[in-house]
Amino acid sequence: QSALTQPPSASGSPGQSVTITCTGSSSDVGDYDHVSWYQQHPGKAPKLMISEVSKRRSGVPDRFSGSKFGNTASLTVSGLQAEDEAAYYCTSYAGSNNFVVFGGGTKLTVL
Amino acid sequence: QITLKESGPTLVKPTQTLTLTCTFSGFSLSTSGVGVGWIRQPPGKALEWLALIFWNDDEHYNPSLRNRLTITKDTSKNQVLLTLADVDPVDTATYYCARAFYYIGAALSDWGQGTLVTVSS
């Protein structure tokens, strides 16, 4: 069981927006602004999309945005495109004991 | 250009020790804030963080696997090694190594292609 909770699936039509949530606790997401989001296409290595809650990595389209409220972080994909269909994982720094925790991943389908 | 590549056995027998090597280029593990981590993914399942080692020799392990894992680095060779003791078929997975940044919560900025390890007798 993953330390961070993500919905197993999400979907949207091309052009729509979809938001994926990542719920942790006051020991990780709620206590640190060190949430990252990764995109993974089938058979490929994950790719860092967002770090520090909302900072897009260079080259990542501004259709991708991140935010956080309390113990829940969110990834929003606006103007969905077919190439956005992938699995998305969140991670958070969790202090010196656990250090890093992962979410269970969300499969995003573009209808 | 930053590259990372995992290498090691593709098949390991139960109870054996698995040793994987991450060979990287384009960055140095002697640079402040830089680290290398290992992450695995069983077929069809989610990513699981295993271990991280940083420029200052700081090591961190997934608490659930801590007693079976060891991570070491050879800065001169640009390599990071991961050993996983007493393997079981549930350890069958694609193992990835990735560059990490300490000061932004160990965000994993660059990943290797991964190597599939099967545990079977």
Side-chain angles (χ1 to χ4, degrees):
Chain A
Q1 193 166 357
S2 302
L4 304 180
T5 301
Q6 298 180 236
S9 62
S11 63
S13 299
Q16 289 187 331
S17 293
V18 65
T19 296
I20 298 170
T21 57
C22 169
T23 301
S25 69
S26 57
S27 300
D28 38 65
V29 174
D31 203 19
Y32 305 98
D33 286 336
H34 288 317
V35 176
S36 298
W37 288 91
Y38 301 85
Q39 176 192 64
Q40 185 181 34
H41 287 108
K44 301 292 187 182
K47 172 187 170 185
L48 177 66
M49 303 296 279
I50 286 176
S51 63
E52 297 177 272
V53 177
S54 59
K55 296 184 179 180
R56 275 187 305 275
R57 191 174 188 196
S58 175
V60 173
D62 60 7
R63 303 183 291 103
F64 291 85
S65 62
S67 62
K68 190 185 85 166
F69 183 78
N71 296 338
T72 298
S74 299
L75 172 72
T76 297
V77 186
S78 305
L80 270 175
Q81 298 183 5
E83 68 221 45
D84 300 332
E85 184 162 296
Y88 292 84
Y89 292 89
C90 63
T91 70
S92 175
Y93 177 71
S96 58
N97 286 333
N98 289 326
F99 207 73
V100 173
V101 286
F102 271 63
T106 298
K107 174 70 169 68
L108 173 61
T109 301
V110 180
L111 301 171
Chain B
Q1 182 187 3
I2 292 167
T3 65
L4 302 99
K5 187 170 184 179
E6 307 85 354
S7 59
T10 57
L11 181 64
V12 184
K13 294 186 186 320
T15 75
Q16 289 185 335
T17 294
L18 169 65
T19 299
L20 294 170
T21 301
C22 176
T23 303
F24 56 87
S25 63
F27 67 96
S28 172
L29 250 183
S30 60
T31 300
S32 178
V34 173
V36 170
W38 286 93
I39 306 93
R40 71 180 180 182
Q41 185 171 38
K45 296 190 177 180
L47 299 171
E48 179 181 32
W49 169 65
L50 299 177
L52 278 159
I53 190 164
F54 289 99
W55 84 104
N56 58 357
D57 296 327
D58 205 14
E59 300 169 20
H60 297 274
Y61 296 96
N62 184 321
S64 66
L65 294 163
R66 185 183 185 90
N67 60 339
R68 297 172 55 207
L69 287 168
T70 304
I71 190 169
T72 59
K73 64 182 177 72
D74 187 330
T75 304
S76 64
K77 291 184 178 179
N78 282 353
Q79 290 182 331
V80 171
L81 272 67
L82 180 79
T83 63
L84 176 63
D86 192 24
V87 298
D88 179 271
V90 299
D91 296 311
T92 294
T94 295
Y95 286 76
Y96 297 99
C97 65
R99 180 174 71 152
F101 287 98
Y102 182 88
Y103 298 120
I104 54 172
L108 301 160
S109 62
D110 304 273
W111 294 61
Q113 64 190 21
T115 185
L116 176 61
V117 178
T118 301
V119 179
S120 175
S121 55

